[in-house]
Amino acid sequence: MDLGTDSFVRIQEEPLSVEAAVDFLGRGDPGGVDLFLGITRRMTGHKETVHLEYDAYLEMAVTELNHIVANAAKSWPLERVYVAHRIGTVPVGQISVIVGASAKHRNEAFAASRYLIDTLKSEVPIWKKETYADGSTEWKPELAVHEPTRRSVGK
Amino acid sequence: MDLGTDSFVRIQEEPLSVEAAVDFLGRGDPGGVDLFLGITRRMTGHKETVHLEYDAYLEMAVTELNHIVANAAKSWPLERVYVAHRIGTVPVGQISVIVGASAKHRNEAFAASRYLIDTLKSEVPIWKKETYADGSTEWKPELAVHEPTRRSVGK
Amino acid sequence: MTECRVLLFSLLAEAVGKRELVAAVELPCSAGALVDSLAKDSSPIRAYRHVIRVAVNREYVPETHVIRSGDEVAIITPTSGG
Amino acid sequence: MTECRVLLFSLLAEAVGKRELVAAVELPCSAGALVDSLAKDSSPIRAYRHVIRVAVNREYVPETHVIRSGDEVAIITPTSGG
């Protein structure tokens, strides 16, 4: 019996394939697979997004994703772990990220999948920029500017 | 804007399609999709499963699934909900159930998906029978027989 | 005596050897009394009596629920879908 | 003065107009001192100084981490992948 967890990590400009993820996660001998897909949403309140652009510190992002996958495999008994992130332009309705885990039982698959996406969002050096229908753009997350410093020190 | 939640519920003998589920859940305008797949596992401890057979009280199972989907849609702001269960024979490695939810944000998608599979398992009149490599069969869950009654009253 | 047909599934159907039984009860009668009556004549139903739930017209009902003539009745052991 | 190249991404790269800056610091120096030095000369870095994390050789480091000649240094604003 193989006690290790097989994993797949990729960052790519090409569209992501759910089929590839399911195919990968279904091998081994899982009883349950949980899969999370991030999709470019059109409407945020009254703002209409046309597309997202993802920037990344590519080499470090891959390193961080591998850390996260290793932590997941240490934290839960998993069969397989899958993480794929798209960068560059992602139009509305298309998938920007797929994370997933397979396990003998569903608890572990859900917990790992949730951990993967939460930690990816907070730790992995990838950033999205919204391009809105009115032509404006905005990097996410919106950051508070440290005003006092900006006012008191000229460039 | 459509405030309702679109849903898909089906019980079928034919193989299930992850693509169909993702296609359904991706419509609307979700930011996140969570999908859970139940897969026929080969090994349970040292027991080797050859296939599962699912029996169902079909009409009630569909009714119950519709209740569960309606409860999910009342409990969380969801875009779409998907539930498909296969019945009859499901060979090892194949998908027996797909549940999923799409929502603006991932919290709701995960919570709903988890609720769907947990409640499906406990409430929906569908039962699986394991057929093992040694030819023996076993209905799940294993149930404790009420021994005192069985001993004291003849058939 | 009214005849009341009761649907069986999974391990009960397999153990009893059919997917339907006729309970010899006077309708209306409570769901609990109906299962008790079936259990008297069937050792598999007796064996799992403590975990059986009753569905009437495709909805779970409490054991106090009153079954009437024409109702669709089923007895449901713990489920294992998924 | 040693030259220390620092990688920029996303809103910092856009605001500064390039994906790399040179910090005028004496190496070895702490990660915190390096960012402070960059902030003196760049108003975008100053504006986001309070949320910037430093990565050295593709790993996050605390501000006390000592940067040496040859290290790959990047400054990272809060991420938004997914």
Side-chain angles (χ1 to χ4, degrees):
Chain A
M1 198 171 75
D2 181 12
L3 291 167
T5 302
D6 287 318
S7 64
F8 177 97
V9 167
R10 184 172 292 168
I11 297 175
Q12 62 182 49
E13 298 209 359
E14 298 72 35
L16 301 177
S17 159
V18 177
E19 259 185 292
V22 170
D23 191 60
F24 180 86
L25 291 169
R27 280 180 259 149
D29 187 25
V33 171
D34 190 65
L35 207 61
F36 177 82
L37 318 176
I39 295 180
T40 300
R41 203 172 59 219
R42 183 180 299 279
M43 300 308 300
T44 302
H46 292 292
K47 278 183 164 171
E48 183 182 350
T49 298
V50 177
H51 61 75
L52 296 180
E53 257 169 281
Y54 285 90
D55 188 17
Y57 178 7
L58 201 57
E59 302 83 353
M60 178 173 169
V62 170
T63 303
E64 276 295 310
L65 286 177
N66 280 314
H67 285 331
I68 292 171
V69 164
N71 281 339
K74 268 187 285 182
S75 304
W76 296 280
L78 302 174
E79 296 288 307
R80 294 187 154 222
V81 181
Y82 188 96
V83 180
H85 204 299
R86 188 169 170 191
I87 55 172
T89 302
V90 182
V92 158
Q94 294 196 18
I95 298 171
S96 53
V97 66
I98 302 179
V99 304
S102 57
K104 296 268 178 237
H105 303 286
R106 70 188 183 284
N107 259 336
E108 289 72 22
F110 272 103
S113 209
R114 184 65 205 248
Y115 168 81
L116 292 169
I117 188 65
D118 286 357
T119 316
L120 181 156
K121 283 175 183 264
S122 66
E123 299 304 314
V124 178
I126 299 178
W127 298 264
K128 65 162 99 40
K129 180 166 79 166
E130 302 262 3
T131 296
Y132 296 111
D134 66 6
S136 65
T137 65
E138 185 175 41
W139 283 102
K140 295 291 181 172
E142 290 180 72
L143 296 175
V145 166
H146 199 269
E147 294 289 355
T149 308
R150 196 170 69 166
R151 278 197 213 98
S152 58
V153 187
K155 176 160 177 172
Chain B
M1 198 171 76
D2 182 13
L3 290 167
T5 302
D6 287 318
S7 64
F8 178 97
V9 168
R10 183 171 294 168
I11 297 176
Q12 62 182 49
E13 299 208 358
E14 298 73 35
L16 301 177
S17 159
V18 177
E19 258 186 293
V22 169
D23 191 60
F24 180 86
L25 292 169
R27 279 179 259 150
D29 187 24
V33 172
D34 190 65
L35 208 60
F36 177 82
L37 318 176
I39 295 180
T40 300
R41 204 173 56 221
R42 183 179 301 279
M43 300 307 299
T44 303
H46 292 291
K47 279 183 164 171
E48 183 183 350
T49 298
V50 176
H51 61 75
L52 296 180
E53 256 169 282
Y54 285 90
D55 188 18
Y57 179 6
L58 201 57
E59 302 83 353
M60 180 174 167
V62 170
T63 303
E64 277 295 309
L65 286 178
N66 280 313
H67 285 332
I68 292 171
V69 164
N71 281 338
K74 268 186 284 183
S75 304
W76 297 280
L78 302 174
E79 297 288 307
R80 294 186 153 223
V81 181
Y82 188 96
V83 180
H85 204 300
R86 189 169 171 190
I87 56 172
T89 301
V90 181
V92 159
Q94 293 194 19
I95 298 171
S96 54
V97 67
I98 302 180
V99 304
S102 58
K104 296 267 178 237
H105 302 286
R106 70 188 184 286
N107 258 337
E108 289 72 22
F110 272 103
S113 208
R114 183 67 205 248
Y115 168 80
L116 291 168
I117 188 65
D118 287 356
T119 317
L120 181 155
K121 283 174 183 262
S122 67
E123 299 303 315
V124 178
I126 299 178
W127 298 265
K128 65 162 96 46
K129 181 167 79 168
E130 302 262 3
T131 296
Y132 297 110
D134 65 7
S136 65
T137 65
E138 184 175 41
W139 283 102
K140 294 290 181 169
E142 291 180 73
L143 296 175
V145 167
H146 199 268
E147 294 289 356
T149 308
R150 195 168 71 165
R151 279 198 212 97
S152 57
V153 187
K155 175 160 180 174
Chain C
M1 282 287 192
T2 336
E3 284 204 341
C4 178
R5 291 170 26 192
V6 178
L7 305 175
L8 306 178
F9 302 92
S10 74
L11 85 173
L12 288 182
E14 191 174 276
V16 170
K18 40 191 172 178
R19 294 179 73 82
E20 200 174 305
L21 275 180
V22 173
V25 291
E26 191 95 32
L27 291 185
C29 109
S30 76
L34 178 113
V35 186
D36 288 339
S37 158
L38 291 168
K40 242 186 287 177
D41 299 326
S42 160
S43 83
I45 293 176
R46 197 157 58 244
Y48 300 111
R49 172 70 186 91
H50 59 300
V51 291
I52 284 172
R53 288 196 279 179
V54 180
V56 174
N57 300 328
R58 305 170 185 177
E59 302 275 358
Y60 289 112
V61 298
E63 299 235 334
T64 52
H65 180 92
V66 176
I67 295 168
R68 298 177 186 284
S69 176
D71 283 345
E72 179 177 310
V73 180
I75 59 179
I76 313 278
T77 52
T79 60
S80 54
Chain D
M1 282 286 193
T2 336
E3 282 204 343
C4 178
R5 290 171 26 190
V6 178
L7 305 175
L8 306 178
F9 302 92
S10 74
L11 86 174
L12 288 182
E14 191 174 277
V16 170
K18 39 192 173 178
R19 293 178 75 81
E20 200 175 304
L21 274 180
V22 174
V25 290
E26 191 96 30
L27 291 185
C29 110
S30 76
L34 179 113
V35 186
D36 287 339
S37 158
L38 291 168
K40 242 187 287 178
D41 299 326
S42 159
S43 81
I45 294 176
R46 197 156 60 243
Y48 300 111
R49 173 70 186 89
H50 59 300
V51 291
I52 284 172
R53 287 198 278 180
V54 180
V56 174
N57 299 330
R58 305 169 185 179
E59 302 275 358
Y60 290 112
V61 298
E63 298 235 335
T64 53
H65 180 90
V66 175
I67 295 167
R68 298 176 187 282
S69 177
D71 283 345
E72 179 177 312
V73 180
I75 59 178
I76 313 277
T77 51
T79 60
S80 54

